Amino acid sequence: MPAVTARTALDEMGQDGAFKRKESVWRDVISKESSKFQPESGRYHLVVAMACPWAHRTLITRALKGLEDAISVSIVHPVWRKTKPDDDEDKHCGWVFGDPDGQPFANTKGLGGPFPPAYAGNEPDPINNSFAVRDLYELAKDTNGKYTVPILWDKKLNTIVNNESSEIIRMLSSEFNEFAKNPDLDVYPENMKESIDSVNEWIYPTINNGVYRCGFAKSQEAYTQSITELTESFDRVESILSKQRFIAGDTFTEADIRLFVTLLRFDEVYIVYFKTNTRSVLTSPNILNYCREIYQMGGVAGTVDMEQIKAHYFASHPDLNMYSIIPLGRDFAGLLSEPHNRGELFP
């Protein structure tokens, strides 16, 4: 097998200086119709980062469905490190597992921190004792070289099932109902698929991925196009939420999960780090009220760790923030705990 070139999202740049995210490649499906991956309690394991918005989608869905007893989880350390620390020639940096018994460390340039060897919930890999997420991909014989979270891991076959968050949340929503504490929740209901798909079609490129297009842009032209599209979509969201309770209609769906994880990080991270300072959640009354409702849904707050979110972004990319200084910000999660009146506005 030819050597795999390890890479990260920061390597996915176009000639015009624009960030161009590549699609995930592990796309198997858990289904009762599958001959390989059947829904089973205790068989599957999620590998996530509290910091990553894509992984956060899966944590929220797992919590809302009540699948904690059926699908186990590992939370990796938020600050990227060298994934092959004993190989001086290998420069790849990415997600590693926490080690509560380890030593504090600096960023990958030897600056900043020191960062603790583990934040809340960061534990060693309980299945394969891997040091890094990269090790799991190599164990599964990955040939792509981009070692992302979330990973939906099959403990029986010891391989990756899927690493595309949009597909994982649909599997969690529909394929594990016999093991779920909240089986009636369907985040992709048949009667709303068209409206959900329509919303996702513009929110993903201009907001979910739009913040990254702003932050990773390497030309003024690419940044200006991205921030313009983001600003227009942000205003569109604020307008929609002034007329209806949720982003795709009157029912909570996957579209809300996908939007919420970006909005949660917007003021504390993206405005500062990714230069998305044309708008803010705190000055958008409908969006703020909406975020409060979702944050206060059963189990969602427990999936939010702003300390790990900020540690990841501000400390993992020293080319963007050499000394890994983490802005203090404000208690955004505390602000989301304040009362909302979405139910009264849209009974």
Side-chain angles (χ1 to χ4, degrees):
M1 185 175 71
V4 176
T5 301
R7 59 188 175 84
T8 72
L10 290 167
D11 299 315
E12 298 176 340
M13 305 299 301
Q15 293 296 318
D16 58 354
F19 172 59
K20 301 182 187 297
R21 186 183 298 276
K22 302 290 193 302
E23 289 189 358
S24 303
V25 299
W26 289 85
R27 310 293 282 269
D28 279 315
V29 176
I30 298 170
S31 167
K32 289 183 177 178
E33 284 71 49
S34 171
S35 60
K36 188 174 183 181
F37 299 111
Q38 287 277 314
E40 297 176 31
S41 180
R43 175 174 173 176
Y44 300 101
H45 185 77
L46 274 172
V47 180
V48 302
M50 299 293 277
C52 171
W54 320 107
H56 197 184
R57 296 173 173 185
T58 68
L59 274 181
I60 290 177
T61 308
R62 173 178 176 264
L64 291 173
K65 287 289 292 188
L67 288 169
E68 294 90 342
D69 295 336
I71 299 174
S72 53
V73 67
S74 286
I75 300 167
V76 298
H77 198 287
V79 180
W80 281 6
R81 302 180 72 174
K82 282 195 65 178
T83 56
K84 299 289 185 184
D86 298 327
D87 185 348
D88 292 337
E89 298 300 315
D90 194 309
K91 305 301 182 184
H92 179 263
C93 300
W95 303 107
V96 303
F97 289 88
D99 180 4
D101 298 323
Q103 297 297 315
F105 60 92
N107 69 24
T108 53
K109 289 189 181 294
L111 303 170
F115 305 105
Y119 289 81
N122 300 160
E123 299 286 345
D125 175 13
I127 301 170
N128 297 291
N129 197 33
S130 301
F131 171 74
V133 164
R134 176 179 182 176
D135 298 333
L136 296 177
Y137 278 86
E138 292 179 346
L139 183 62
K141 297 180 172 55
D142 175 77
T143 59
N144 183 54
K146 186 180 178 185
Y147 310 121
T148 60
V149 292
I151 294 172
L152 185 57
W153 183 267
D154 183 352
K155 291 186 277 189
K156 179 184 289 188
L157 300 180
N158 217 33
T159 193
I160 298 170
V161 180
N162 195 296
N163 69 342
E164 171 49 55
S165 63
S166 63
E167 295 174 358
I168 294 173
I169 62 177
R170 290 183 183 177
M171 285 184 259
L172 297 182
S173 176
S174 63
E175 301 303 321
F176 292 87
N177 284 334
E178 61 187 294
F179 314 114
K181 295 172 184 173
N182 188 13
D184 294 333
L185 174 65
D186 183 358
V187 301
Y188 192 56
E190 188 67 38
N191 67 332
M192 293 191 67
K193 285 183 178 180
E194 185 175 346
S195 58
I196 293 169
D197 291 345
S198 176
V199 166
N200 289 343
E201 191 172 313
W202 59 270
I203 285 182
Y204 170 76
T206 62
I207 297 181
N208 298 142
N209 198 45
V211 294
Y212 287 90
R213 291 170 56 213
C214 292
F216 292 166
K218 290 187 176 180
S219 72
Q220 188 66 46
E221 182 182 6
Y223 167 77
T224 300
Q225 179 178 346
S226 300
I227 192 64
T228 300
E229 293 175 4
L230 172 62
T231 304
E232 290 172 351
S233 289
F234 203 96
D235 290 345
R236 186 175 176 183
V237 169
E238 176 71 1
S239 175
I240 290 171
L241 294 177
S242 72
K243 304 179 184 72
Q244 62 192 43
R245 188 166 180 175
F246 298 105
I247 194 62
D250 296 326
T251 302
F252 176 81
T253 69
E254 67 163 49
D256 299 293
I257 296 172
R258 291 166 55 125
L259 176 59
F260 172 77
V261 295
T262 300
L263 296 175
L264 173 73
R265 292 159 172 77
F266 201 88
D267 286 24
E268 288 286 79
V269 174
Y270 300 144
I271 285 177
V272 181
Y273 199 48
F274 285 170
K275 310 175 189 71
T276 63
N277 60 348
T278 56
R279 297 292 184 270
S280 78
V281 171
L282 288 181
T283 58
S284 306
N286 296 304
I287 290 176
L288 178 59
N289 207 18
Y290 165 83
C291 286
R292 284 175 170 153
E293 176 170 19
I294 296 176
Y295 181 79
Q296 294 169 36
M297 291 179 176
V300 173
T303 70
V304 175
D305 189 320
M306 194 59 73
E307 181 183 24
Q308 293 193 51
I309 289 172
K310 292 167 69 171
H312 166 64
Y313 283 98
F314 291 107
S316 293
H317 318 121
D319 286 344
L320 301 182
N321 188 23
M322 180 179 292
Y323 295 100
S324 296
I325 304 300
I326 301 174
L328 183 61
R330 55 194 303 175
D331 183 14
F332 191 75
L335 293 171
L336 294 186
S337 299
E338 295 179 7
H340 70 87
N341 64 342
R342 297 292 290 176
E344 297 170 21
L345 292 172
F346 305 102

